[in-house]
Coordinates of all heavy atoms in Angstrom, one line a residue:
L78 N -7.0 23.9 15.5 CA -6.3 25.1 15.8 C -5.3 25.6 14.6 O -4.7 26.6 14.7 CB -5.4 25.0 17.1 CG -6.3 24.8 18.3 CD1 -5.4 24.5 19.5 CD2 -7.1 26.0 18.6
M109 N 1.2 12.7 18.6 CA 2.1 11.5 18.8 C 2.6 11.4 20.2 O 2.7 10.3 20.8 CB 3.3 11.6 17.8 CG 3.0 11.3 16.4 SD 2.1 9.7 16.1 CE 3.3 8.5 16.7
A124 N -8.2 6.3 20.2 CA -7.7 7.7 20.0 C -7.5 8.1 18.5 O -7.9 9.2 18.1 CB -6.4 8.0 20.8
E179 N -32.5 -4.7 4.4 CA -32.5 -3.9 3.2 C -32.6 -4.6 1.9 O -32.4 -4.1 0.8 CB -31.2 -3.0 3.1 CG -31.2 -1.8 4.1 CD -31.0 -2.2 5.5 OE1 -29.9 -2.7 5.8 OE2 -31.9 -2.0 6.3
R193 N -20.2 10.6 -4.1 CA -20.6 10.0 -5.3 C -19.4 9.3 -6.1 O -19.6 8.3 -6.8 CB -21.3 11.0 -6.2 CG -22.7 11.4 -5.7 CD -23.7 10.4 -5.9 NE -25.0 10.7 -5.2 CZ -25.3 10.2 -4.0 NH1 -24.5 9.3 -3.4 NH2 -26.4 10.5 -3.4
L226 N -5.4 2.6 4.8 CA -4.1 2.3 4.2 C -4.2 2.5 2.7 O -3.2 2.8 2.1 CB -3.7 0.8 4.5 CG -3.6 0.5 6.0 CD1 -3.1 -1.0 6.1 CD2 -2.6 1.4 6.7
D254 N -25.8 -13.2 22.3 CA -26.3 -13.0 23.7 C -25.8 -11.7 24.2 O -26.1 -11.4 25.4 CB -25.7 -14.2 24.5 CG -26.3 -15.5 24.1 OD1 -27.4 -15.5 23.5 OD2 -25.7 -16.6 24.4
M279 N -23.9 -6.7 -5.6 CA -22.9 -6.5 -6.6 C -23.5 -5.8 -7.8 O -22.9 -4.9 -8.4 CB -22.4 -7.9 -7.1 CG -21.5 -8.6 -6.0 SD -20.1 -7.6 -5.5 CE -19.1 -7.6 -7.0
N285 N -24.6 1.9 -9.4 CA -24.4 3.2 -8.8 C -23.1 3.8 -9.1 O -23.0 5.0 -9.2 CB -24.6 3.0 -7.3 CG -25.0 4.3 -6.6 OD1 -25.8 5.1 -7.1 ND2 -24.4 4.6 -5.5
Q293 N -13.2 -4.8 -3.2 CA -12.2 -5.8 -2.5 C -13.0 -6.6 -1.5 O -13.5 -6.0 -0.5 CB -11.1 -5.0 -1.9 CG -10.1 -5.9 -1.1 CD -8.9 -5.1 -0.7 OE1 -8.3 -4.3 -1.5 NE2 -8.5 -5.3 0.6
F294 N -13.1 -7.9 -1.7 CA -13.7 -8.8 -0.7 C -12.7 -9.1 0.4 O -11.6 -9.3 0.2 CB -14.0 -10.1 -1.4 CG -15.1 -10.1 -2.5 CD1 -14.8 -10.5 -3.8 CD2 -16.3 -9.6 -2.2 CE1 -15.8 -10.4 -4.8 CE2 -17.3 -9.5 -3.2 CZ -17.0 -9.9 -4.5
D319 N -7.7 -11.8 0.7 CA -7.3 -13.0 1.5 C -6.7 -14.1 0.6 O -5.8 -14.9 0.9 CB -8.4 -13.6 2.3 CG -9.0 -12.5 3.2 OD1 -8.3 -12.0 4.1 OD2 -10.2 -12.1 3.1
L365 N 1.7 -20.8 -10.7 CA 1.6 -20.0 -12.0 C 2.9 -19.3 -12.3 O 3.4 -19.3 -13.4 CB 0.5 -18.9 -11.8 CG 0.2 -18.0 -13.0 CD1 -0.3 -18.8 -14.2 CD2 -0.7 -16.9 -12.6
Q400 N -13.0 -30.4 -0.6 CA -13.7 -29.3 -1.3 C -13.0 -29.0 -2.6 O -11.8 -29.3 -2.8 CB -13.6 -28.1 -0.3 CG -14.5 -28.2 0.9 CD -14.0 -27.3 2.0 OE1 -12.9 -27.5 2.6 NE2 -14.8 -26.3 2.3

Side-chain angles (χ1 to χ4, degrees):
L78 294 173
M109 284 308 297
E179 281 76 63
R193 290 285 170 261
L226 299 184
D254 296 337
M279 293 303 293
N285 202 43
Q293 179 171 313
F294 295 122
D319 305 297
L365 182 66
Q400 292 159 289

